Amino acid sequence: MMGIGEIRLLIWVSSILYLAGFSLGFNPVDNYLINCGSPSNLSVGGRVFVADNSASQILSTPKNIFASTNSNSIDLPLYQTARILDGISQYTFPISKPGRHWIRLYFFPFVYTNYNMSMANFSVSAQDFVLLSNFQLQKDSMVKEYSVNITSNKLVLSFTPSDSSSFAFVNALEVVSVPDEIITDDAQTINPLGGYQGLWKQALETVFRVNMGGPTISPSNDTLGRTWVPDQDFLLNKNLAKSVSNIAAVTYVSGGPTPDIAPPSVYGTAVEMNSANVPNSNFNVTWNFDVNPGFQYLIRLHFCDIVSSSLNQLYFNVYINTWSVALNLDLSIQQINTLGAPYYMDFVTGLSDSSKLRVSIGPSITITSVSPNAILNGLEVMKMNNSRGSLDGVASITLISQPSSKKSVGVIVGVVLGVFIAVVLAVVLFLICRRRQMARHQHLKTWAPFSMNGGNSLSMGSKYSYGTTINTASNLGYRFPFAAMQDATNNFEESWVVGVGGFGKVYKGVLKDGTKVAVKRGNPQSQQGLAEFRTEIEMLSHFRHRHLVSLIGYCDERNEMILVYEYMENGTLKNHLYGSELPSLSWKERLDICIGSARGLHYLHTGSTKAIIHRDVKSANILLDENLMAKVADFGLSKTGPEIDQTHVSTAVKGSFGYLDPEYYRRQQLTEKSDVYSFGVVLFEVICARPVINPSLPREMVNLAEWAMKWQKIGQLENIIDPNLAGKIRPDSLRKFAETAEKCLADYGVDRPSMGDVLWNLEYALQLQEAVIQDDPEVNSTNQIGELSPLVNNADYVETSVTAAQLEMSSLDDLSAVSVSRVFSQLVKAEGR
Ligand SMILES: *[C@@H]1O[C@H](CO)[C@@H](O)[C@H](O)[C@H]1NC(C)=O
Ligand SMILES: *[C@@H]1O[C@H](CO)[C@@H](O)[C@H](O)[C@H]1NC(C)=O
Ligand SMILES: *[C@@H]1O[C@H](CO)[C@@H](O)[C@H](O)[C@H]1NC(C)=O
Ligand SMILES: *[C@@H]1O[C@H](CO)[C@@H](O)[C@H](O)[C@H]1NC(C)=O
Ligand SMILES: *[C@@H]1O[C@H](CO)[C@@H](O)[C@H](O)[C@H]1NC(C)=O
Ligand SMILES: *[C@@H]1O[C@H](CO)[C@@H](O)[C@H](O)[C@H]1NC(C)=O
Ligand SMILES: *[C@@H]1O[C@H](CO)[C@@H](O)[C@H](O)[C@H]1NC(C)=O
């Protein structure tokens, strides 16, 4: 088995070789190209489609009919022959390596003896998926491209005529391995923005694959034999768009998309805003696509900044239909600050109810720049199979696999049979669901929820030496002059302070271009060393994730230690839970926030070869952006993160009182499981909406973790949940959530789940709330928790003093001894400061 590092190295080496002109390409393990109905091999763009007779042992069909035409109006020689499949026919392809495979079907109808292929009417299925249902093609050629994760050692491709008078045909077909990295398991949902898992089990049909601003890319110019078409026909308003090409600017970087994701000819051309035609530069460039309603779509957006002359010049927004899916997107920070580094994002739409899909790009509204612009380099739209496993129509495979040949059978018999089948199906479905539920739990163990795109997770190779020197400036955030910092914060105006921490003060600021930022100014007298300041800059520059607050820049002029972060419009999660006038968050919003922060922490724990331990997970360190999307702040260094926390935190505290892992101070050993513990406390805080330590409450209620666990252990957590949530949480969702929190608080780290498990369970809790899990009798009963009479509310304050034991705990916090193997040792504060 190869380690991640080696794989990355390989990718890196192959991209270097690629750039040097040795196009290695991808060498598919399974590679069946068949020139159906033809006795001879045919080379098309360097790929050999083999003669059908040599492949015939893989086909079972009632009659062997080889059709051919010598019409010379046919553009592709592949189309001059076809297999007529008169009766149910099956191609069986041995699969040497399970995983995703392309299935490409080539059709061109012509007339052969008494077979008029324009009249053919048939269905095609592969594995358990319906690819085509009652398909008919009158004229013109068509290539259908699918990708299916084949899970067994063979692929059966079935052609089933729609009725006894009909037949099927095919001119050529391909079954070819797809590299694993092409379709990863997860993506983002767009409304609301959130995580999506489970792409591995989706059959996908490529409905559009577009090369923005460039020409058609034919299969021979693409390492995976794909076709990319120009975008002109899809543009809503051609005047607003301008094509640009700069293929030389494309720089594939290690850990980022490879040429297999999309070739340089796709990343090297783009459509940008045509501001010359439209002086008022606030407009969108929009493409429209026709889609089938009733399906979900996977949309992959390809970006590569080939238009900017330097980093951080281009900020733009991306919309799918009316939803904004990326705001103020800055491509230069997505891939180790390399201009011209390819980048892509995957989004899964909801069930479309419209037959139009719209993708738009427009300039950032909040970040103004000298020449506002927006770009898009490529776009793929892939249809996802529906809940019946079909990509075409509503019939499931069981319904199409038998052609309706017995038309004479009476209607009544049909109805009776139908009812019988429905009953049997219901029973079978119920059993399948049961099994699937169990399977889902097993799946959990191997599931690796990763970032929205293959290229987002950066490796921390040994090439970076943290805590020593700042590497070349190009690798890091933007370096601000001190004057710019003074301007941004109104000369560090006291009234602009939004938080105070051990490190210094955090100010709200506005950059010249209007960007809102959070400016953290290190106190020169603070215990915060210069080395840690540098470490944090390097850390934050290299760990970028949607759910981690990101660093915009820094300032080290005049011995200052200033860090500039993105401004999080909605402040801390804590503020939204209690102690403020803010409106109460809904259960779904709370779940989304928990899922987002779990994702950020999971990335810290697993995103590099060495786990990064946050050490100060708490609701005050989970920040919310304008869309209430959660981002974890203050990571890696509990003492240097943006302390946007109103409560005073003693400089000696490492980790926060009320969230501390008991095992951490018992054994003085720090692992990721300490973060899991603290996160469990946050989960209880989210559902109970009260401070984790409230000394004014009766003694047994002071500590939220203890109090909540007491109720959870007797299965009555609902008695102490936030009254605002009463009656609004589905019991299953509450149960799953509470169980997850309980497991996080296990006494021993080994008994606690990993952050990945926590993430999965929270997503499951969200699904249970939304009841998207179909045919689950338990969930479909929609009885909700009735009105509750909460035992705890703010009126219940009782004066009590904190016990001595509890006070002592705060002095135990400052523990620096750690398990070296699990911690990135440079991050750990030096002893004795
Ligand atoms: C077609 O190519 C395959 C392998 O590429 C070869 O085994 C076969 O003999 C060829 N058939 C003909 C008719 O040339
Ligand atoms: C084949 O069928 C198509 C569509 O039904 C029809 O338009 C065409 O005339 C037919 N061709 C012949 C030769 O029968
Ligand atoms: C194909 O056959 C099916 C089943 O007989 C029928 O319902 C459908 O209308 C046919 N499709 C076309 C386009 O004629
Ligand atoms: C294909 O499915 C298997 C499970 O059968 C899964 O482990 C694997 O990751 C999937 N592969 C891809 C490329 O989605
Ligand atoms: C495709 O490849 C051919 C040579 O194989 C080359 O001449 C052509 O310019 C390439 N087209 C693109 C768009 O890269
Ligand atoms: C761009 O499109 C989005 C989504 O439809 C819309 O909300 C926004 O107002 C548009 N911007 C402009 C300048 O038209
Ligand atoms: C697609 O099919 C798979 C396997 O049958 C199923 O698990 C998945 O939920 C289906 N997709 C959708 C969007 O329903």
Side-chain angles (χ1 to χ4, degrees), residues 124-131 148-151 155-156 201 203 385-391 395-398 400 436:
V124 182
S125 65
Q127 198 160 275
D128 294 327
F129 299 104
V130 177
L131 306 184
V148 175
N149 183 356
I150 298 169
T151 48
L155 169 68
V156 178
K201 57 183 174 189
N385 66 267
N386 64 18
S387 55
R388 295 196 175 96
S390 173
L391 281 161
S396 68
I397 190 161
T398 44
I400 68 152
R436 222 186 256 175

PDB file of all heavy atoms in Angstrom, residues 124-131 148-151 155-156 201 203 385-391 395-398 400 436:
ATOM      1  N   VAL A 124     -31.593   0.253 -21.611  1.00  0.00           N
ATOM      2  CA  VAL A 124     -30.250  -0.252 -21.337  1.00  0.00           C
ATOM      3  C   VAL A 124     -30.010  -0.139 -19.835  1.00  0.00           C
ATOM      4  O   VAL A 124     -30.360   0.883 -19.223  1.00  0.00           O
ATOM      5  CB  VAL A 124     -29.170   0.567 -22.088  1.00  0.00           C
ATOM      6  CG1 VAL A 124     -27.780  -0.011 -21.829  1.00  0.00           C
ATOM      7  CG2 VAL A 124     -29.450   0.603 -23.591  1.00  0.00           C
ATOM      8  N   SER A 125     -29.468  -1.194 -19.249  1.00  0.00           N
ATOM      9  CA  SER A 125     -29.140  -1.106 -17.833  1.00  0.00           C
ATOM     10  C   SER A 125     -27.736  -1.646 -17.599  1.00  0.00           C
ATOM     11  O   SER A 125     -27.216  -2.439 -18.384  1.00  0.00           O
ATOM     12  CB  SER A 125     -30.160  -1.882 -17.004  1.00  0.00           C
ATOM     13  OG  SER A 125     -30.064  -3.245 -17.314  1.00  0.00           O
ATOM     14  N   ALA A 126     -27.138  -1.175 -16.511  1.00  0.00           N
ATOM     15  CA  ALA A 126     -25.799  -1.609 -16.148  1.00  0.00           C
ATOM     16  C   ALA A 126     -25.780  -1.792 -14.645  1.00  0.00           C
ATOM     17  O   ALA A 126     -26.249  -0.929 -13.916  1.00  0.00           O
ATOM     18  CB  ALA A 126     -24.773  -0.549 -16.546  1.00  0.00           C
ATOM     19  N   GLN A 127     -25.214  -2.891 -14.193  1.00  0.00           N
ATOM     20  CA  GLN A 127     -25.247  -3.210 -12.770  1.00  0.00           C
ATOM     21  C   GLN A 127     -26.697  -3.057 -12.302  1.00  0.00           C
ATOM     22  O   GLN A 127     -27.561  -3.676 -12.887  1.00  0.00           O
ATOM     23  CB  GLN A 127     -24.262  -2.315 -12.006  1.00  0.00           C
ATOM     24  CG  GLN A 127     -23.913  -2.842 -10.637  1.00  0.00           C
ATOM     25  CD  GLN A 127     -22.600  -2.239 -10.111  1.00  0.00           C
ATOM     26  OE1 GLN A 127     -21.539  -2.734 -10.406  1.00  0.00           O
ATOM     27  NE2 GLN A 127     -22.708  -1.198  -9.331  1.00  0.00           N
ATOM     28  N   ASP A 128     -26.996  -2.227 -11.309  1.00  0.00           N
ATOM     29  CA  ASP A 128     -28.395  -2.097 -10.906  1.00  0.00           C
ATOM     30  C   ASP A 128     -29.028  -0.803 -11.378  1.00  0.00           C
ATOM     31  O   ASP A 128     -30.022  -0.354 -10.833  1.00  0.00           O
ATOM     32  CB  ASP A 128     -28.498  -2.181  -9.384  1.00  0.00           C
ATOM     33  CG  ASP A 128     -28.094  -3.556  -8.887  1.00  0.00           C
ATOM     34  OD1 ASP A 128     -28.355  -4.526  -9.617  1.00  0.00           O
ATOM     35  OD2 ASP A 128     -27.504  -3.646  -7.798  1.00  0.00           O
ATOM     36  N   PHE A 129     -28.415  -0.198 -12.366  1.00  0.00           N
ATOM     37  CA  PHE A 129     -28.894   1.116 -12.781  1.00  0.00           C
ATOM     38  C   PHE A 129     -29.531   1.095 -14.164  1.00  0.00           C
ATOM     39  O   PHE A 129     -29.055   0.415 -15.068  1.00  0.00           O
ATOM     40  CB  PHE A 129     -27.732   2.107 -12.811  1.00  0.00           C
ATOM     41  CG  PHE A 129     -27.085   2.302 -11.473  1.00  0.00           C
ATOM     42  CD1 PHE A 129     -25.866   1.715 -11.180  1.00  0.00           C
ATOM     43  CD2 PHE A 129     -27.721   3.055 -10.492  1.00  0.00           C
ATOM     44  CE1 PHE A 129     -25.279   1.891  -9.942  1.00  0.00           C
ATOM     45  CE2 PHE A 129     -27.138   3.237  -9.246  1.00  0.00           C
ATOM     46  CZ  PHE A 129     -25.910   2.652  -8.967  1.00  0.00           C
ATOM     47  N   VAL A 130     -30.605   1.849 -14.302  1.00  0.00           N
ATOM     48  CA  VAL A 130     -31.217   2.028 -15.613  1.00  0.00           C
ATOM     49  C   VAL A 130     -30.506   3.202 -16.280  1.00  0.00           C
ATOM     50  O   VAL A 130     -30.480   4.303 -15.742  1.00  0.00           O
ATOM     51  CB  VAL A 130     -32.717   2.359 -15.465  1.00  0.00           C
ATOM     52  CG1 VAL A 130     -33.332   2.622 -16.835  1.00  0.00           C
ATOM     53  CG2 VAL A 130     -33.428   1.231 -14.749  1.00  0.00           C
ATOM     54  N   LEU A 131     -29.894   2.943 -17.434  1.00  0.00           N
ATOM     55  CA  LEU A 131     -29.208   4.028 -18.136  1.00  0.00           C
ATOM     56  C   LEU A 131     -30.148   4.687 -19.139  1.00  0.00           C
ATOM     57  O   LEU A 131     -30.199   5.895 -19.264  1.00  0.00           O
ATOM     58  CB  LEU A 131     -27.961   3.502 -18.856  1.00  0.00           C
ATOM     59  CG  LEU A 131     -26.940   2.713 -18.021  1.00  0.00           C
ATOM     60  CD1 LEU A 131     -25.729   2.345 -18.871  1.00  0.00           C
ATOM     61  CD2 LEU A 131     -26.499   3.505 -16.797  1.00  0.00           C
ATOM     62  N   VAL A 148     -20.097   4.577 -13.615  1.00  0.00           N
ATOM     63  CA  VAL A 148     -20.732   3.759 -12.585  1.00  0.00           C
ATOM     64  C   VAL A 148     -19.618   3.105 -11.773  1.00  0.00           C
ATOM     65  O   VAL A 148     -18.625   2.627 -12.343  1.00  0.00           O
ATOM     66  CB  VAL A 148     -21.617   2.658 -13.234  1.00  0.00           C
ATOM     67  CG1 VAL A 148     -22.190   1.729 -12.170  1.00  0.00           C
ATOM     68  CG2 VAL A 148     -22.737   3.273 -14.051  1.00  0.00           C
ATOM     69  N   ASN A 149     -19.779   3.116 -10.465  1.00  0.00           N
ATOM     70  CA  ASN A 149     -18.818   2.418  -9.609  1.00  0.00           C
ATOM     71  C   ASN A 149     -19.164   0.935  -9.634  1.00  0.00           C
ATOM     72  O   ASN A 149     -20.172   0.522  -9.066  1.00  0.00           O
ATOM     73  CB  ASN A 149     -18.901   2.975  -8.185  1.00  0.00           C
ATOM     74  CG  ASN A 149     -17.890   2.346  -7.259  1.00  0.00           C
ATOM     75  OD1 ASN A 149     -17.157   1.429  -7.650  1.00  0.00           O
ATOM     76  ND2 ASN A 149     -17.851   2.819  -6.027  1.00  0.00           N
ATOM     77  N   ILE A 150     -18.355   0.145 -10.292  1.00  0.00           N
ATOM     78  CA  ILE A 150     -18.646  -1.283 -10.426  1.00  0.00           C
ATOM     79  C   ILE A 150     -18.065  -2.000  -9.225  1.00  0.00           C
ATOM     80  O   ILE A 150     -16.880  -1.877  -8.909  1.00  0.00           O
ATOM     81  CB  ILE A 150     -18.088  -1.820 -11.749  1.00  0.00           C
ATOM     82  CG1 ILE A 150     -18.797  -1.069 -12.879  1.00  0.00           C
ATOM     83  CG2 ILE A 150     -18.322  -3.326 -11.860  1.00  0.00           C
ATOM     84  CD1 ILE A 150     -18.204  -1.289 -14.220  1.00  0.00           C
ATOM     85  N   THR A 151     -18.943  -2.695  -8.516  1.00  0.00           N
ATOM     86  CA  THR A 151     -18.532  -3.242  -7.225  1.00  0.00           C
ATOM     87  C   THR A 151     -18.267  -4.744  -7.294  1.00  0.00           C
ATOM     88  O   THR A 151     -17.894  -5.345  -6.305  1.00  0.00           O
ATOM     89  CB  THR A 151     -19.617  -2.944  -6.175  1.00  0.00           C
ATOM     90  OG1 THR A 151     -20.876  -3.307  -6.727  1.00  0.00           O
ATOM     91  CG2 THR A 151     -19.644  -1.473  -5.833  1.00  0.00           C
ATOM     92  N   LEU A 155     -19.235  -6.667 -15.193  1.00  0.00           N
ATOM     93  CA  LEU A 155     -20.274  -5.680 -15.487  1.00  0.00           C
ATOM     94  C   LEU A 155     -21.191  -6.273 -16.541  1.00  0.00           C
ATOM     95  O   LEU A 155     -20.742  -6.664 -17.615  1.00  0.00           O
ATOM     96  CB  LEU A 155     -19.659  -4.392 -16.028  1.00  0.00           C
ATOM     97  CG  LEU A 155     -20.699  -3.412 -16.603  1.00  0.00           C
ATOM     98  CD1 LEU A 155     -21.575  -2.856 -15.508  1.00  0.00           C
ATOM     99  CD2 LEU A 155     -20.045  -2.296 -17.383  1.00  0.00           C
ATOM    100  N   VAL A 156     -22.467  -6.339 -16.211  1.00  0.00           N
ATOM    101  CA  VAL A 156     -23.433  -6.833 -17.186  1.00  0.00           C
ATOM    102  C   VAL A 156     -24.194  -5.642 -17.747  1.00  0.00           C
ATOM    103  O   VAL A 156     -24.799  -4.869 -17.003  1.00  0.00           O
ATOM    104  CB  VAL A 156     -24.410  -7.840 -16.534  1.00  0.00           C
ATOM    105  CG1 VAL A 156     -25.446  -8.304 -17.553  1.00  0.00           C
ATOM    106  CG2 VAL A 156     -23.649  -9.017 -15.962  1.00  0.00           C
ATOM    107  N   LYS A 201     -21.701   5.825  -4.619  1.00  0.00           N
ATOM    108  CA  LYS A 201     -22.712   4.861  -5.054  1.00  0.00           C
ATOM    109  C   LYS A 201     -23.638   5.417  -6.128  1.00  0.00           C
ATOM    110  O   LYS A 201     -24.600   4.776  -6.520  1.00  0.00           O
ATOM    111  CB  LYS A 201     -23.507   4.339  -3.857  1.00  0.00           C
ATOM    112  CG  LYS A 201     -24.177   5.394  -3.060  1.00  0.00           C
ATOM    113  CD  LYS A 201     -24.870   4.773  -1.850  1.00  0.00           C
ATOM    114  CE  LYS A 201     -25.416   5.887  -0.981  1.00  0.00           C
ATOM    115  NZ  LYS A 201     -25.897   5.437   0.283  1.00  0.00           N
ATOM    116  N   ALA A 203     -24.696   6.422  -9.827  1.00  0.00           N
ATOM    117  CA  ALA A 203     -24.400   6.308 -11.254  1.00  0.00           C
ATOM    118  C   ALA A 203     -24.582   7.719 -11.807  1.00  0.00           C
ATOM    119  O   ALA A 203     -25.495   8.430 -11.415  1.00  0.00           O
ATOM    120  CB  ALA A 203     -25.378   5.350 -11.911  1.00  0.00           C
ATOM    121  N   ASN A 385     -28.417   9.283 -10.538  1.00  0.00           N
ATOM    122  CA  ASN A 385     -29.553   8.361 -10.583  1.00  0.00           C
ATOM    123  C   ASN A 385     -30.580   8.734  -9.517  1.00  0.00           C
ATOM    124  O   ASN A 385     -30.235   9.263  -8.467  1.00  0.00           O
ATOM    125  CB  ASN A 385     -29.108   6.900 -10.409  1.00  0.00           C
ATOM    126  CG  ASN A 385     -28.546   6.603  -9.043  1.00  0.00           C
ATOM    127  OD1 ASN A 385     -27.352   6.681  -8.836  1.00  0.00           O
ATOM    128  ND2 ASN A 385     -29.409   6.252  -8.086  1.00  0.00           N
ATOM    129  N   ASN A 386     -31.848   8.472  -9.822  1.00  0.00           N
ATOM    130  CA  ASN A 386     -32.885   8.798  -8.844  1.00  0.00           C
ATOM    131  C   ASN A 386     -32.982   7.680  -7.798  1.00  0.00           C
ATOM    132  O   ASN A 386     -32.197   6.727  -7.816  1.00  0.00           O
ATOM    133  CB  ASN A 386     -34.222   9.071  -9.529  1.00  0.00           C
ATOM    134  CG  ASN A 386     -34.766   7.852 -10.245  1.00  0.00           C
ATOM    135  OD1 ASN A 386     -34.342   6.726  -9.986  1.00  0.00           O
ATOM    136  ND2 ASN A 386     -35.704   8.063 -11.151  1.00  0.00           N
ATOM    137  N   SER A 387     -33.942   7.808  -6.918  1.00  0.00           N
ATOM    138  CA  SER A 387     -34.019   6.856  -5.801  1.00  0.00           C
ATOM    139  C   SER A 387     -34.345   5.444  -6.282  1.00  0.00           C
ATOM    140  O   SER A 387     -34.159   4.475  -5.574  1.00  0.00           O
ATOM    141  CB  SER A 387     -35.048   7.331  -4.789  1.00  0.00           C
ATOM    142  OG  SER A 387     -36.268   7.530  -5.454  1.00  0.00           O
ATOM    143  N   ARG A 388     -34.841   5.312  -7.525  1.00  0.00           N
ATOM    144  CA  ARG A 388     -35.087   3.965  -8.054  1.00  0.00           C
ATOM    145  C   ARG A 388     -33.881   3.447  -8.828  1.00  0.00           C
ATOM    146  O   ARG A 388     -33.968   2.431  -9.511  1.00  0.00           O
ATOM    147  CB  ARG A 388     -36.296   3.978  -8.977  1.00  0.00           C
ATOM    148  CG  ARG A 388     -37.585   4.308  -8.254  1.00  0.00           C
ATOM    149  CD  ARG A 388     -38.744   3.910  -9.149  1.00  0.00           C
ATOM    150  NE  ARG A 388     -40.007   4.101  -8.465  1.00  0.00           N
ATOM    151  CZ  ARG A 388     -40.759   5.187  -8.607  1.00  0.00           C
ATOM    152  NH1 ARG A 388     -40.369   6.163  -9.388  1.00  0.00           N
ATOM    153  NH2 ARG A 388     -41.899   5.295  -7.972  1.00  0.00           N
ATOM    154  N   GLY A 389     -32.779   4.192  -8.783  1.00  0.00           N
ATOM    155  CA  GLY A 389     -31.580   3.737  -9.479  1.00  0.00           C
ATOM    156  C   GLY A 389     -31.649   3.984 -10.978  1.00  0.00           C
ATOM    157  O   GLY A 389     -30.965   3.329 -11.748  1.00  0.00           O
ATOM    158  N   SER A 390     -32.487   4.936 -11.370  1.00  0.00           N
ATOM    159  CA  SER A 390     -32.619   5.190 -12.803  1.00  0.00           C
ATOM    160  C   SER A 390     -32.060   6.548 -13.187  1.00  0.00           C
ATOM    161  O   SER A 390     -32.137   7.503 -12.426  1.00  0.00           O
ATOM    162  CB  SER A 390     -34.096   5.116 -13.200  1.00  0.00           C
ATOM    163  OG  SER A 390     -34.239   5.528 -14.546  1.00  0.00           O
ATOM    164  N   LEU A 391     -31.502   6.602 -14.394  1.00  0.00           N
ATOM    165  CA  LEU A 391     -31.021   7.866 -14.945  1.00  0.00           C
ATOM    166  C   LEU A 391     -31.936   8.334 -16.065  1.00  0.00           C
ATOM    167  O   LEU A 391     -31.679   9.339 -16.720  1.00  0.00           O
ATOM    168  CB  LEU A 391     -29.602   7.679 -15.500  1.00  0.00           C
ATOM    169  CG  LEU A 391     -28.493   7.672 -14.457  1.00  0.00           C
ATOM    170  CD1 LEU A 391     -27.237   7.042 -14.996  1.00  0.00           C
ATOM    171  CD2 LEU A 391     -28.213   9.098 -14.004  1.00  0.00           C
ATOM    172  N   ALA A 395     -38.860   4.244 -14.253  1.00  0.00           N
ATOM    173  CA  ALA A 395     -38.914   2.801 -14.050  1.00  0.00           C
ATOM    174  C   ALA A 395     -37.613   2.294 -13.435  1.00  0.00           C
ATOM    175  O   ALA A 395     -36.534   2.752 -13.776  1.00  0.00           O
ATOM    176  CB  ALA A 395     -39.156   2.106 -15.377  1.00  0.00           C
ATOM    177  N   SER A 396     -37.722   1.368 -12.514  1.00  0.00           N
ATOM    178  CA  SER A 396     -36.524   0.788 -11.939  1.00  0.00           C
ATOM    179  C   SER A 396     -36.129  -0.419 -12.775  1.00  0.00           C
ATOM    180  O   SER A 396     -36.870  -0.872 -13.648  1.00  0.00           O
ATOM    181  CB  SER A 396     -36.774   0.375 -10.501  1.00  0.00           C
ATOM    182  OG  SER A 396     -37.664  -0.705 -10.505  1.00  0.00           O
ATOM    183  N   ILE A 397     -34.973  -0.951 -12.485  1.00  0.00           N
ATOM    184  CA  ILE A 397     -34.430  -2.028 -13.310  1.00  0.00           C
ATOM    185  C   ILE A 397     -35.357  -3.244 -13.340  1.00  0.00           C
ATOM    186  O   ILE A 397     -35.501  -3.909 -14.361  1.00  0.00           O
ATOM    187  CB  ILE A 397     -33.021  -2.396 -12.838  1.00  0.00           C
ATOM    188  CG1 ILE A 397     -32.366  -3.344 -13.830  1.00  0.00           C
ATOM    189  CG2 ILE A 397     -33.021  -2.966 -11.445  1.00  0.00           C
ATOM    190  CD1 ILE A 397     -30.886  -3.390 -13.693  1.00  0.00           C
ATOM    191  N   THR A 398     -36.041  -3.513 -12.234  1.00  0.00           N
ATOM    192  CA  THR A 398     -36.920  -4.679 -12.193  1.00  0.00           C
ATOM    193  C   THR A 398     -38.060  -4.531 -13.180  1.00  0.00           C
ATOM    194  O   THR A 398     -38.604  -5.503 -13.679  1.00  0.00           O
ATOM    195  CB  THR A 398     -37.504  -4.873 -10.789  1.00  0.00           C
ATOM    196  OG1 THR A 398     -37.917  -3.599 -10.313  1.00  0.00           O
ATOM    197  CG2 THR A 398     -36.484  -5.476  -9.855  1.00  0.00           C
ATOM    198  N   ILE A 400     -37.918  -2.783 -16.101  1.00  0.00           N
ATOM    199  CA  ILE A 400     -37.560  -2.788 -17.513  1.00  0.00           C
ATOM    200  C   ILE A 400     -36.950  -4.104 -17.976  1.00  0.00           C
ATOM    201  O   ILE A 400     -36.866  -4.366 -19.152  1.00  0.00           O
ATOM    202  CB  ILE A 400     -36.595  -1.641 -17.882  1.00  0.00           C
ATOM    203  CG1 ILE A 400     -35.236  -1.851 -17.232  1.00  0.00           C
ATOM    204  CG2 ILE A 400     -37.163  -0.289 -17.563  1.00  0.00           C
ATOM    205  CD1 ILE A 400     -34.129  -1.230 -18.034  1.00  0.00           C
ATOM    206  N   ARG A 436     -29.795  -2.193   4.551  1.00  0.00           N
ATOM    207  CA  ARG A 436     -29.020  -1.033   4.158  1.00  0.00           C
ATOM    208  C   ARG A 436     -28.645  -0.201   5.363  1.00  0.00           C
ATOM    209  O   ARG A 436     -27.572   0.347   5.475  1.00  0.00           O
ATOM    210  CB  ARG A 436     -29.849  -0.189   3.207  1.00  0.00           C
ATOM    211  CG  ARG A 436     -28.996   0.326   2.059  1.00  0.00           C
ATOM    212  CD  ARG A 436     -29.786   1.252   1.251  1.00  0.00           C
ATOM    213  NE  ARG A 436     -30.211   0.608   0.033  1.00  0.00           N
ATOM    214  CZ  ARG A 436     -31.022   1.195  -0.823  1.00  0.00           C
ATOM    215  NH1 ARG A 436     -31.513   2.385  -0.589  1.00  0.00           N
ATOM    216  NH2 ARG A 436     -31.371   0.573  -1.922  1.00  0.00           N
TER     217      ARG A 436
END
